[in-house]
Amino acid sequence: MAKKTYVGWQELGYKRNQVEYKEPTKLLADDGTLLVQGGWARHNVFEYDRTKAQPQKRGKEWDFYQLSDGKYMLQISVANISIGGYASAVLLELDKAHNRKGKIITSMSLFLGGKNKYVLPENGDKPNYFEYNNGKFKCIFDTKATSRKIYFEGPVKGKKFVCDIDMDLFEDHESITIVTPFKKRGKFLPTRFFMTMKQNCMPAYGTVKLGDETLYTFKKEDTMCVLDWGRGVWPYRNVWYWGNGAKMVKGADGKEHMFGFEITWGIGCEDNATETCLFWDGKAQKIGSVDVETFPKGKYMEPWKFVSEDGRFNLTMTPYYDHHSDMNVLKIVRLHSHQVHGLWNGTVTLDSGEVVEIKDMYAFCEYVENKW
């Protein structure tokens, strides 16, 4: 792993702006120039036209769903990176006791030529339907006002691998969408940007089968799903952190509430918004920039302590599984990640000023270095 390249708010010594967009806003000019120099929204109000993204050969688009109950994790995704793309499903067994490499099943379909093939929705925050069919592979993302459905089927060692998952949404379920520009030597790169939406706090349920065998059944009582929806034109090298989780917790009123968080940082210029947010009963509550106190290089299984610049996010993750992957193609394309799963403890402060204690909440945070 390379040395840490991200400079957090603690080193910068100042608080970042948090510019919120509430009205429909055009994202790109006709020549691909980014019209929004950073900002966030509770719903995706940014009007994205993929035909205007330049250069199109550098475009990256994906819908990535990850759900887990802390015992098993399922990832289903479709990506289109202009020259091609893929649809995939991964079932991973997480082992709390020994950090052993548990059962892992992967099915992936690749395709070439992504300009007009398997085009994903331009707004993942609105009802939409997407279907991928390629030989023996099939993937469906069906989004409605108060639910989402994901379906995947593909071959694994001569058997059909089938994932059939449903998710529940609140009425007017809020998410966080952020537009992040990029800089080089202090100057904005006019056509480089990253727009992402994280839809959190989605109770999920369904089955994963291989042939006639049911490998695992996810139950909505203890399974949460997050959607990582991304569109952008990136520089070649990238580094980021991403942490996310959701759980039913008890509030000051003694009642159970749906709590979640989204923390991403390190990628692009975050002067006008950070991808950091709390969720409470389906509503987004913006918090300041988040960082981990000690860069975890080489110590990914030691506790990660997180703190936000406004003091509202103060949680420590005690890891029990490091899902480490490293793909290096001729030292030109590299996808290197440590997605660390653990139990989170500490406090968060809501907009109302209420301090909520978080106890043994399953969630994850990853550190990623990419060249692609």
Side-chain angles (χ1 to χ4, degrees):
M1 299 289 283
K3 67 179 182 178
K4 179 181 178 183
T5 58
Y6 172 68
V7 179
W9 64 267
Q10 298 174 89
E11 293 96 333
L12 288 171
Y14 69 88
K15 292 186 177 181
R16 292 183 169 92
N17 298 318
Q18 302 291 344
V19 179
E20 182 179 1
Y21 284 77
K22 299 181 180 181
E23 302 296 329
T25 302
K26 188 176 180 180
L27 186 70
L28 300 173
D30 290 344
D31 64 356
T33 299
L34 181 64
L35 299 175
V36 179
Q37 294 303 316
W40 76 282
R42 301 170 192 272
H43 292 289
N44 187 358
V45 299
F46 303 106
E47 298 175 346
Y48 166 69
D49 182 347
R50 71 191 305 269
T51 66
K52 291 182 170 54
Q54 297 295 331
Q56 292 205 346
K57 65 180 181 179
R58 295 291 300 159
K60 295 178 175 62
E61 302 180 343
W62 67 79
D63 287 11
F64 172 90
Y65 288 88
Q66 178 170 303
L67 60 111
S68 179
D69 59 3
K71 300 174 183 176
Y72 277 78
M73 179 182 70
L74 178 65
Q75 298 173 334
I76 298 178
S77 59
V78 175
N80 186 321
I81 58 171
S82 301
I83 61 172
Y86 67 85
S88 74
V90 178
L91 178 70
L92 173 65
E93 180 185 11
L94 305 173
D95 188 288
K96 296 182 181 180
H98 306 103
N99 191 39
R100 67 180 178 84
K101 187 173 182 179
K103 180 188 299 181
I104 182 168
I105 296 176
T106 301
S107 183
M108 176 180 285
S109 170
L110 301 173
F111 66 89
L112 294 176
K115 183 177 181 181
N116 298 305
K117 187 184 292 186
Y118 303 120
V119 176
L120 291 157
E122 293 188 341
N123 190 325
D125 200 19
K126 296 179 180 179
N128 63 77
Y129 181 87
F130 170 83
E131 185 168 330
Y132 176 97
N133 274 289
N134 189 3
K136 296 181 179 180
F137 293 87
K138 184 176 183 178
C139 187
I140 294 173
F141 299 150
D142 189 6
T143 299
K144 295 183 169 60
T146 58
S147 68
R148 289 181 183 267
K149 182 177 184 63
I150 53 177
Y151 177 87
F152 179 94
E153 67 177 56
V156 173
K157 296 182 179 179
K159 297 181 179 180
K160 185 182 289 187
F161 183 54
V162 176
C163 311
D164 192 356
I165 304 294
D166 289 277
M167 288 156 278
D168 294 338
L169 300 175
F170 290 91
E171 293 281 353
D172 191 32
H173 195 129
E174 292 183 351
S175 56
I176 180 170
T177 301
I178 184 169
V179 175
T180 304
F182 290 89
K183 284 183 176 180
K184 185 175 184 179
R185 300 187 182 92
K187 295 184 178 180
F188 283 108
L189 300 173
T191 62
R192 299 297 191 268
F193 71 95
F194 179 38
M195 178 173 68
T196 181
M197 181 195 78
K198 300 298 193 300
Q199 184 80 70
N200 204 11
C201 298
M202 297 187 290
Y205 53 99
T207 58
V208 181
K209 297 181 178 181
L210 183 61
D212 296 329
E213 178 187 2
T214 298
L215 297 176
Y216 201 68
T217 299
F218 291 98
K219 300 177 181 178
K220 68 163 61 178
E221 291 78 17
D222 56 12
T223 304
M224 294 292 174
C225 185
V226 58
L227 165 63
D228 173 10
W229 182 97
R231 308 290 186 266
V233 181
W234 295 14
Y236 172 57
R237 297 175 184 269
N238 299 280
V239 175
W240 71 78
Y241 290 85
W242 175 34
N244 190 282
K247 182 183 180 182
M248 296 298 295
V249 301
K250 185 172 290 186
D253 57 6
K255 298 179 180 179
E256 291 286 313
H257 296 267
M258 178 68 79
F259 164 73
F261 68 84
E262 162 60 25
I263 52 172
T264 297
W265 71 98
I267 182 170
C269 175
E270 299 174 298
D271 287 351
N272 287 327
T274 57
E275 194 182 333
T276 51
C277 191
L278 305 178
F279 296 96
W280 192 253
D281 290 337
K283 301 300 179 184
Q285 301 189 11
K286 191 73 183 70
I287 61 174
S289 179
V290 172
D291 203 352
V292 61
E293 280 195 345
T294 303
F295 180 55
K297 182 180 180 181
K299 300 180 180 180
Y300 295 98
M301 292 302 294
E302 294 186 6
W304 298 35
K305 182 172 175 53
F306 301 87
V307 63
S308 64
E309 61 185 358
D310 52 17
R312 294 179 58 185
F313 192 89
N314 190 349
L315 294 173
T316 297
M317 175 179 67
T318 302
Y320 64 79
Y321 193 92
D322 178 8
H323 182 40
H324 176 221
S325 62
D326 189 3
M327 182 184 75
N328 197 342
V329 182
L330 302 176
K331 296 184 179 181
I332 298 173
V333 175
R334 192 181 189 196
L335 309 176
H336 193 180
S337 69
H338 286 267
Q339 188 184 73
V340 180
H341 301 255
L343 298 180
W344 297 54
N345 289 273
T347 61
V348 296
T349 303
L350 305 180
D351 284 349
S352 64
E354 177 185 345
V355 177
V356 179
E357 185 176 4
I358 305 301
K359 296 181 179 180
D360 290 337
M361 173 181 176
Y362 161 75
F364 72 90
C365 188
E366 67 182 23
Y367 177 75
V368 176
E369 295 177 354
N370 280 351
K371 294 189 295 185
W372 65 327

